[in-house]
Amino acid sequence: MTKRIMIVKKEKCNPESCGGYLCIRVSPSNRMGKDAIVKSADGKVEVNEEVITDGDRIAANKCPFNALEMVNLPEELDKEPIHRYGKNGFALYNLPTPMFGKVVGIIGRNGIGKSTAVKILAGVLKPNLGRTDKESYEASYKELIDYFKGSEAQIFFEKKNKQKIKIAYKPQQVDLIPKNFCGSVKELLTKVDEKKKLSEIAKTLELTKILDHDLKNISGGELQRVAIAATVLKKANIYFFDEPTSYLDIKQRLKISKFIREMADENTAVIVIEHDLIILDYMTDFIHLMYGKATAFGVVSSIKTTKAGINVYLSGYLKEENVRFRANEIKFLKKAPIKKRSSSELVKWNEFEHSIGSFKLGVKEGKIYHEETVGVLGENGIGKTTFVKLLAGEIDSSNKIEKLKVAYKPQYLVSDDEQVTSILKRAIEKYGSLLIDPLRLKDLLLQKSSELSGGELQRVMIAKCLAEDSDIMLMDEPSAYLDVEERLIISKVIKDVVKQTERAVLIVDHDLLFLDYLSDQLVVFDGEPAVQGFVNGPFEMEDGMNVFLKDLKLTFRRDEENNRPRANKLNSRLDREQKSKEKFYYV
């Protein structure tokens, strides 16, 4: 018998505007006299899942506001969920397993329950074992130990019950820190410093120069490193990091990865949620995949070695669970692409310099052709956004592009009360099948931009940029807030738009795998952050990556199964061999 649940998205349920409970009226089960879909006390609808049949999918499909979603669950889910957000809410099945001496990663789509799983393990959220009949029900440790009997999670909850486990948790939304704490960086870190290692950790995480700065006046990358410092300064034996590399440039990501990796020892376990696959691979020993249906249900897979787990994720098929969670396998190119360049030059710029205050940007001569996707790499504070704004005409300069129409997606997204339908008017009219469908924007159209999550707003603004009447599109950090799946979908959408419209796109980002999957050419920045930056390129992909990685003293190999780029361990045989051949990216 097929197990199914029906999700009710209360915020979308609008009985007055559908002629009065349309779903209740058309439900086949209701027509047979059963109370399958009924009015709830709050005036919305609720579903009795033990009564509904597959025929009630009609009621879900008829809802004009997509407030109902019927989902068939995988057959192997023979237990109730570990947690459910109220009756007809999101359901989470199983939990990740902390391992002492190891860093365990979690990978999966947004809205699949990754943060919920970590919050339960961290004790921030008390699980209810799916018992939504009792309001605010919280499972006891005895119930949790029985629920996970025979698994590693049983041992975890037994230790937690005996208070043998102390937890430190870095949440995902570091931008909320200044709203919850007033004062300087040093004041915050002093308050949480249980290890009395503030000076040492501040030096390691490069926070020494900003210790006296007010939290309200530091950048996103600085906030992220402050949040990591605040977490590791606590005395704990299990550390949780929810997206520790967002806002960080590639150099910082590698440093943080090494730092987190070195935290795990025989007395310490680390769990990390991360969307950058190269960093996840570099940082972790094992991973859990999470699959299911975003905003409906999520399932935590059995634990796998990092290499095997990421490859399974890219394949889209979990053999042990017999679950296909993506239609297509994702593969990368074994050799650097040699793209047949359009003979039509789109834009050319001469060598020039530009100053903003004490910061100087030196730009070498370069050109971009039609139908070209150009990735932009470099540290934070090195002038990447300034260069993009110069090209977009946002910064006054005699060297800005005068004759081109430029569509620009900024790094920092601003939301307001404008409806998504209005923002995406041109995209809806001209690029429905190319943008609206693959970017899953249909359900967002009636919402205001201020009501969207970070990932939803990012997808909307990418679609807006791609749909604008322009010659060239400039995107600053389009992968921010997006999960791995969304980043790969966005890559394909951008390539399709570039090909169909014969425009070009320039993309600034810190996710090397994302840029590897997407780019034809690379622009590489070097210099000294906040002092001076130099723009080099565009280069062919292989040349550009070699320039960039040589500066990082890092080499990459290709996975033999799907050719994805993987960082070599420093001074490993492959690392030494590739450096001797000056082959930092493709072998």
Side-chain angles (χ1 to χ4, degrees), residues 499-544:
K499 186 176 180 181
Q500 184 166 315
T501 62
E502 297 183 356
R503 289 180 286 168
V505 62
L506 197 68
I507 295 177
V508 177
D509 213 276
H510 296 300
D511 185 335
L512 282 179
L513 186 136
F514 174 68
L515 288 181
D516 174 75
Y517 194 68
L518 176 63
S519 307
D520 304 313
Q521 303 273 301
L522 276 182
V523 169
V524 180
F525 280 67
D526 60 19
E528 185 180 349
V531 178
Q532 191 167 25
F534 298 98
V535 184
N536 307 291
F539 298 104
E540 296 290 342
M541 274 295 289
E542 183 172 357
D543 296 334

Side-chain angles (χ1 to χ4, degrees), residues 14 69 123 137 206 220 233 254 300 340 359 361 422 448 587:
N14 191 346
E69 184 176 13
Y137 179 82
E206 299 174 0
L233 284 170
L254 290 164
V300 181
K340 189 178 180 184
F359 179 79
L361 182 68
S422 173
K448 296 174 182 176
V587 182

Side-chain angles (χ1 to χ4, degrees), residues 50-113:
E50 66 277 6
V51 177
I52 58 171
T53 66
D54 198 55
D56 291 305
R57 202 177 295 273
I58 293 168
N61 293 340
K62 287 277 186 183
C63 176
F65 307 108
N66 298 314
L68 297 176
E69 184 176 13
M70 182 178 276
V71 180
N72 289 337
L73 298 174
E75 291 179 7
E76 74 277 1
L77 293 181
D78 53 0
K79 280 186 176 181
E80 290 301 310
I82 180 69
H83 188 72
R84 194 155 191 199
Y85 285 100
K87 188 173 184 180
N88 310 134
F90 177 87
L92 175 68
Y93 295 85
N94 206 4
L95 285 175
T97 308
M99 295 177 69
F100 286 90
K102 304 293 180 186
V103 180
V104 176
I106 303 173
I107 183 174
R109 299 203 71 161
N110 286 334
I112 209 81

Side-chain angles (χ1 to χ4, degrees), residues 104-168:
V104 176
I106 303 173
I107 183 174
R109 299 203 71 161
N110 286 334
I112 209 81
K114 300 185 301 299
S115 293
T116 296
V118 164
K119 283 177 182 176
I120 290 172
L121 289 173
V124 176
L125 176 67
K126 303 293 184 184
N128 58 20
L129 299 181
R131 294 184 189 171
T132 56
D133 51 327
K134 296 180 183 179
E135 197 173 340
S136 302
Y137 179 82
E138 293 179 0
S140 67
Y141 278 117
K142 184 181 182 306
E143 287 174 304
L144 291 169
I145 289 163
D146 287 342
Y147 183 92
F148 287 108
K149 202 165 186 178
S151 70
E152 290 288 330
Q154 177 194 346
I155 300 167
F156 170 80
F157 283 110
E158 283 174 345
K159 286 184 177 179
K160 206 159 185 287
N161 187 34
K162 293 173 182 174
Q163 297 185 329
K164 290 183 177 180
I165 283 176
K166 191 175 179 192
I167 283 162

Side-chain angles (χ1 to χ4, degrees), residues 425-440:
K425 187 172 184 293
R426 182 178 169 86
I428 295 164
E429 290 173 356
K430 290 190 167 288
Y431 302 105
S433 60
L434 200 60
L435 295 176
I436 304 301
D437 295 340
L439 296 182
R440 298 182 294 116

Side-chain angles (χ1 to χ4, degrees), residues 6-17:
M6 190 178 279
I7 305 299
V8 179
K9 298 165 187 172
K10 296 268 186 180
E11 72 281 2
K12 292 185 177 182
C13 181
N14 191 346
E16 291 179 7
S17 300

